[in-house]
Amino acid sequence: MTVSTRKPAGNASAHTASSQPTSSKDRVLIFDTTLRDGEQCPGATMTFEEKLEIAEMLDAMGVDIIEAGFPIASDGDFEAVSEIARRSKRATIAGLARAISGDIARAGEAVRHAPRPRIHTFVSTSPIHLEHQMRKNQEQVLEIITATVTQARNLVEDVEWSAMDATRTPIDYLCRTVEAAIRAGATTINLPDTVGYATPDEYRTMFKAVRERVPNADKAIFSVHCHNDLGLAVANSLAGIEGGARQVECTLNGIGERAGNAALEEVVMALRVRGDVLPYDTGIDATMLMRASKAVSTACSFPVQYNKAIVGRNAFAHESGIHQDGMLKNNTTYEIMTPASVGVTKTSLVMGKHSGRAAFRSKLKDMGYDLGDNQMEDAFTRFKALADRKKHVYDEDIEALVDENIATAHDRIKLESLTVIAGTRGPQRATMKLDVEGRHVTEEVEGNGPIDAIFKAIKTIVPHEVTLELYDVHAVTEGTDAQAEVSVRLSRDGSSVTGRGADPDTLVASAKAYLAALNKLIARGARLHAQAAE
């Protein structure tokens, strides 16, 4: 199939000029929705500070469009989008809005301070959505598209319109909706595979057909947005590009609703590594991918699976004797990209209890961390304590302790000390000291096992009612002295959050993880209470 190589219409040329040098390759814009679609993943809610940190990283990485949130969803989302818009340097900042007047006005208000503001509005187009969710007919939806896109275009010059459930929409009607949206002022048209139903050939064909049949298609950039319900999100995204799309909507680590979205790191590296058959360019600094992946994993408390492409722990690991032999002779025998190309360090950390601050700071810089003086001092103190307890300190150990320190910097409840008595005879007992908003409280509690005693101690000091949905333990590094990383998911009133904690002592890591999740629930409750009082 011959793919059109015309330059993107609308404001895509501005992105091309500002994001990377001129290239003979066709330019594909990267639209990151980690802070919106990614955060809709159950338990993945991020704090205000975490959103700002990730947005800053995405901007520095070269992401073209950052979908910063859903401003109408809550005051907290509105404030986060507004602040990200104010701080943005080169990325377009988008706010999502349903095809409702109030949503669009709120999104316009949230992004208005951005150097490049965008309103992203959407409406369902498939028969199943129109019948069961919208309860509208096709003509009514066309009227909604015209009215809402026009409203958005009166607020900002850059308007994206999405046909929700496009891949299950009859092609004739889909073309009518796209034509109406562009006529009303949409500069980007997104045709999402909302439920992850399409196959690559179907998705490619849909884009080709719409672009050929819609008379004003050349006035807009076309975008892909794929979900991973059948594990085809990245494959479909690449197929959509072959069909003429020039914007890819994706998330770091592929997080998102249900099975998630197309993973940004996979899309970027597929285009880079296979430029021979995918002759397209992005403006992404790929060396920041690993650091960004870890930042999102920490903020969401969602561990990255070991065999995850590009950013998984095993992505550049070789254990097979045949593979090791090939790697020793020439690394291209079993690696199609270098670890350094995505920001992965090659060697383990060679540091210990005798290492000084200068060496530690230099190591952190090599690993992609830029900490303030207070954060640096706290991280160094934690490192020295860890080095006293572990024979070998690896890069992963450092990442775990620094990421945990960043994630818990604003917590109201912090662990000060923990002593646990356990064994075959019982009863198991936990003595815990917590810092509760500056107040130091100690309790000793018995439980049905050491973990139960720890969690009961926390409930005794900070009374609360939650459901423990997940308790998961794995080792950060190898060996009997490895740091344990624990994930705990708590739910209350239908809302779930996940916390993570790391420590060479599994019981201490468990307490940290529970407290991390509890702090998130408390912060969320405080926000809801403040909103209700206004």
Side-chain angles (χ1 to χ4, degrees):
M1 179 182 297
T2 302
V3 179
S4 168
T5 57
R6 68 172 182 266
K7 291 185 178 180
N11 66 339
S13 59
H15 282 296
T16 305
S18 63
S19 299
Q20 71 172 34
T22 302
S23 170
S24 60
K25 291 186 177 182
D26 219 349
R27 181 73 158 87
V28 171
L29 305 178
I30 297 298
F31 177 114
D32 182 274
T33 185
T34 301
L35 300 177
R36 198 278 300 171
D37 203 336
E39 202 198 17
Q40 290 179 201
C41 181
T45 301
M46 305 176 201
T47 66
F48 179 80
E49 292 78 12
E50 287 166 342
K51 288 183 178 182
L52 296 184
E53 178 190 353
I54 291 169
E56 183 178 352
M57 191 172 297
L58 292 171
D59 201 1
M61 188 191 304
V63 166
D64 299 290
I65 304 98
I66 300 172
E67 189 165 54
F70 197 170
I72 198 70
S74 69
D75 288 342
D77 235 30
F78 176 84
E79 292 167 4
V81 175
S82 298
E83 188 59 28
I84 290 169
R86 290 186 182 93
R87 296 189 182 196
S88 65
K89 293 181 173 61
R90 58 180 179 178
T92 293
I93 305 301
L96 186 68
R98 294 168 297 182
I100 299 173
S101 177
D103 278 37
I104 292 170
R106 189 70 164 162
E109 176 65 19
V111 301
R112 67 186 179 91
H113 296 293
R116 298 186 180 91
R118 173 182 292 191
I119 294 175
H120 178 195
T121 184
F122 67 95
V123 69
S124 294
T125 56
S126 70
I128 192 168
H129 277 216
L130 266 59
E131 178 183 356
H132 298 291
Q133 186 174 22
M134 292 287 291
R135 301 188 186 277
K136 304 282 186 182
N137 61 41
Q138 291 185 348
E139 297 305 318
Q140 289 173 316
V141 170
L142 286 170
E143 292 175 2
I144 290 171
I145 293 169
T146 299
T148 53
V149 172
T150 299
Q151 178 192 357
R153 186 57 189 263
N154 286 333
L155 296 174
V156 296
E157 292 185 2
D158 187 359
V159 175
E160 176 170 343
W161 177 78
S162 291
M164 187 155 70
D165 207 18
T167 53
R168 295 193 296 176
T169 300
I171 192 66
D172 289 342
Y173 182 61
L174 184 61
C175 288
R176 291 180 65 196
T177 63
V178 169
E179 184 177 358
I182 297 174
R183 189 187 310 118
T187 52
T188 299
I189 297 295
N190 180 37
L191 303 180
D193 187 21
T194 304
V195 293
Y197 179 74
T199 63
D201 188 59
E202 290 172 335
Y203 204 51
R204 179 190 305 107
T205 300
M206 180 189 71
F207 275 94
K208 189 173 184 295
V210 171
R211 293 176 65 250
E212 289 175 350
R213 292 174 55 175
V214 173
N216 53 2
D218 61 333
K219 296 180 180 178
I221 301 167
F222 279 77
S223 178
V224 299
H225 180 119
C226 299
H227 281 265
N228 206 37
D229 298 72
L230 293 176
L232 296 172
V234 171
N236 282 338
S237 296
L238 299 176
I241 294 173
E242 291 180 323
R246 289 298 177 267
Q247 176 179 286
V248 178
E249 305 191 6
C250 44
T251 62
L252 286 163
N253 299 338
I255 65 171
E257 292 185 278
R258 303 185 313 280
N261 293 265
L264 181 151
E265 61 275 6
E266 294 178 26
V267 171
V268 168
M269 293 311 294
L271 294 176
R272 178 164 299 191
V273 174
R274 293 310 313 272
D276 54 332
V277 293
L278 297 167
Y280 313 103
D281 253 345
T282 72
I284 300 297
D285 179 358
T287 62
M288 294 182 66
L289 289 174
M290 178 59 77
R291 181 71 200 104
S293 166
K294 290 182 181 297
V296 170
S297 176
T298 299
C300 296
S301 296
F302 273 31
V304 176
Q305 66 190 64
Y306 284 9
N307 62 330
K308 168 74 173 64
I310 314 301
V311 294
R313 181 189 296 182
N314 291 345
F316 296 96
H318 305 272
E319 186 170 339
S320 161
I322 295 175
H323 285 220
Q324 289 177 344
D325 177 68
M327 287 294 296
L328 289 171
K329 293 173 179 174
N330 189 311
N331 63 354
T332 61
T333 54
Y334 289 101
E335 284 187 351
I336 59 174
M337 67 194 93
T338 65
S341 68
V342 297
V344 176
T345 53
K346 293 182 179 180
T347 58
S348 296
L349 177 66
V350 185
M351 293 184 72
K353 61 184 180 181
H354 300 296
S355 300
R357 284 177 177 79
F360 184 66
R361 185 184 293 275
S362 176
K363 182 61 182 179
L364 289 181
K365 185 176 181 180
D366 291 342
M367 295 170 66
Y369 292 98
D370 184 14
L371 304 183
D373 291 340
N374 291 339
Q375 285 182 314
M376 166 62 193
E377 189 61 31
D378 189 71
F380 182 70
T381 300
R382 288 170 179 251
F383 163 72
K384 297 291 276 189
L386 182 64
D388 280 335
R389 301 168 68 185
K390 284 190 76 204
K391 183 176 181 180
H392 300 291
V393 180
Y394 301 96
D395 288 4
E396 292 85 355
D397 293 314
I398 293 294
E399 289 166 351
L401 72 86
V402 174
D403 287 341
E404 180 189 333
N405 183 40
I406 294 171
T408 60
H410 302 279
D411 284 354
R412 299 184 179 187
I413 306 167
K414 297 182 180 181
L415 178 67
E416 291 206 336
S417 65
L418 173 66
T419 302
V420 180
I421 298 175
T424 56
R425 296 189 179 185
Q428 286 74 35
R429 183 181 299 110
T431 303
M432 177 178 291
K433 183 179 180 181
L434 297 181
D435 178 342
V436 184
E437 297 183 317
R439 183 170 54 94
H440 304 283
V441 185
T442 302
E443 289 286 348
E444 183 177 303
V445 179
E446 292 183 357
N448 183 23
I451 301 300
D452 184 55
I454 290 169
F455 292 175
K456 282 183 176 178
I458 296 173
K459 287 186 176 182
T460 301
I461 297 173
V462 186
H464 60 279
E465 291 298 327
V466 297
T467 300
L468 177 62
E469 295 184 339
L470 171 73
Y471 174 75
D472 179 68
V473 183
H474 73 271
V476 174
T477 51
E478 299 177 355
T480 56
D481 64 348
Q483 279 203 98
E485 189 168 70
V486 177
S487 296
V488 168
R489 184 182 303 143
L490 303 178
S491 68
R492 182 174 63 189
D493 300 329
S495 178
S496 296
V497 298
T498 305
R500 289 167 68 186
D503 195 90
D505 188 321
T506 305
L507 300 179
V508 173
S510 300
K512 289 180 177 179
Y514 191 102
L515 287 171
L518 181 60
N519 274 295
K520 289 184 178 181
L521 277 179
I522 291 173
R524 178 180 296 178
R527 287 196 301 270
L528 293 175
H529 180 73
Q531 293 168 16
E534 292 178 352

